[in-house]
């Protein structure tokens, strides 16, 4: 059995192992990480050999940590990442390049249509009717997108939204409200089979699925990092956030919104951002929380989108794709039956 795990912001951890009588055997660790002293590699191998194949990531990490000699230095990986690679081997999780990727970047549609496409394309990847896909959003209106479990009343000032021309919509994933001004946001969605994140905790899957975008941002000179649970940030401030939804049919939706430009005053007039939420971020102003890509790079939005697509293509061998007429029709029907209804928008008043 073979498993790989690229540590977000770190190195590749590779494991090979066999299963005998319900236990791990012939375990070998490899990768492009750094480890001192050299003999610690054998200690890690010995610690994992003999563990039950049912051992979870914390149990494997604890065994590795207990076996390390005093003063051992692990650079670019952790005992937990070894555990994750083991779990991925035991469930035969594919690597990114094992999948046949396509990138979709099509003309603008409404915010509701973008949300409906997310649900439709995730379901189709889950049941095998579509290849794993990265989709870049384009939209023809400004919108507030609230999380699946947020209260409309608590998050949005309807008068402020109307005054500034913002539609209000609700997505199927959790997380917080996003102010999506026309041409002021970079948003993308990943539609992947559940097998790609097999062996990862829900929390770890966020950083795993967005590691490629950190690489793209760093290539633009931004010191991008992932801040648990779901923030993408730099030393200058938050850049954006991610959210996920896992469908029963086996598809996983992972989408993220990055701020390209921002009017802080509009944000405070459209969103009801409570002081308690701001206080745990170490700031007293919503406008100061987000540091847009335009200021950090000086590049047009289109150039940033091209860098994202180029990076994803280089890393995973993706090819250009498109949304079919059948998929558009299914999404349009879902807008009518769900995303444009008051029942959905106000399901949590």
């Amino acid at each position: 059995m073979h498993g790989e795990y690229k540590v977000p912001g770190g190195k590749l951890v590779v494991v090979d192992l066999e299963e005998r009588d319900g236990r791990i055997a012939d375990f070998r660790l490899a990768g492009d990480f750094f480890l001192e002293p050299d003999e610690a590699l054998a200690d890690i191998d010995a610690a994992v050999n003999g563990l039950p194949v049912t051992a979870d990531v914390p149990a494997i990490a604890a065994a590795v940590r207990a076996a390390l000699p005093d003063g051992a230095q692990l650079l670019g990986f952790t005992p937990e990442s070894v555990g994750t690679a083991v779990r991925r081997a035991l469930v035969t999780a594919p690597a990114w390049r094992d999948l046949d990727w396509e990138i979709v970047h099509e003309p603008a549609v409404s915010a509701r249509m973008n949300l409906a496409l997310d649900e439709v394309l995730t379901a189709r990847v889950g049941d095998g009717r579509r290849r794993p896909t990265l989709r870049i959003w384009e939209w023809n209106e400004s919108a507030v997108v609230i999380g699946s479990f947020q209260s409309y009343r608590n998050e949005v000032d309807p008068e402020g939204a109307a005054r500034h021309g913002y539609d209000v919509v609700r997505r199927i994933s959790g997380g917080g409200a996003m102010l999506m001004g026309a041409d002021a946001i970079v948003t993308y969605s990943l539609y992947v089979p559940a097998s790609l994140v097999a062996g990862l905790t829900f929390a770890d899957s966020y950083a795993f699925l967005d590691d490629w975008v950190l690489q793209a941002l760093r290539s633009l000179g931004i010191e991008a990092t992932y801040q648990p649970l779901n923030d993408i940030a730099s030393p200058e401030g938050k850049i954006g956030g991610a959210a996920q939804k896992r469908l029963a049919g086996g598809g996983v939706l992972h989408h993220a919104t990055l701020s390209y430009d921002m009017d802080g005053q509009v944000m405070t007039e459209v969103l009801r951002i409570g002081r308690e939420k701001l206080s745990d971020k170490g700031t007293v102003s919503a406008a100061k929380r987000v540091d847009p890509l335009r200021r950090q790079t000086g590049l047009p939005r289109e150039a940033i989108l091209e860098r994202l697509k180029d990076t994803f293509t280089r890393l995973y061998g993706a090819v250009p794709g498109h949304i079919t007429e059948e998929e558009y029709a299914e999404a349009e029907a879902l807008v009518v039956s769900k995303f444009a209804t008051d029942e959905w928008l106000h399901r949590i008043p």
Side-chain angles (χ1 to χ4, degrees), residues 133-211:
T133 301
L134 166 67
R135 181 172 74 92
I136 306 295
W137 287 33
E138 296 290 355
W139 59 99
N140 52 20
E141 61 187 1
S142 295
V144 177
V145 182
I146 62 175
S148 180
F149 309 109
Q150 287 190 297
S151 162
Y152 176 96
R153 181 188 304 120
N154 292 343
E155 296 297 327
V156 181
D157 182 330
E159 293 182 359
R163 184 168 62 252
H164 291 287
Y166 278 79
D167 191 16
V168 183
V169 295
R170 184 186 294 275
R171 62 181 183 265
I172 62 172
S173 61
M178 302 301 297
L179 193 74
M180 300 181 62
D183 298 322
I185 292 291
V186 170
T187 298
Y188 59 87
S189 295
L190 281 169
Y191 314 112
V192 306
S195 59
L196 181 63
V197 293
L200 299 176
T201 66
F202 192 83
D204 286 344
S205 71
Y206 273 78
F208 176 74
L209 291 175
D210 273 335
D211 186 58

Side-chain angles (χ1 to χ4, degrees), residues 224-275:
T225 58
Y226 214 87
Q227 305 295 324
L229 172 67
N230 63 333
D231 284 355
I232 297 172
S234 78
E236 305 301 319
K238 178 178 175 179
I239 297 170
Q244 278 187 25
K245 179 67 176 180
R246 303 188 179 201
L247 301 186
V252 176
L253 164 65
H254 179 94
H255 47 195
T257 294
L258 312 178
S259 180
Y260 173 70
D261 204 356
M262 184 186 69
D263 186 324
Q265 186 61 39
V266 170
M267 176 183 283
T268 59
E269 292 178 12
V270 174
L271 300 181
R272 302 186 192 275
I273 302 177
R275 290 185 177 274

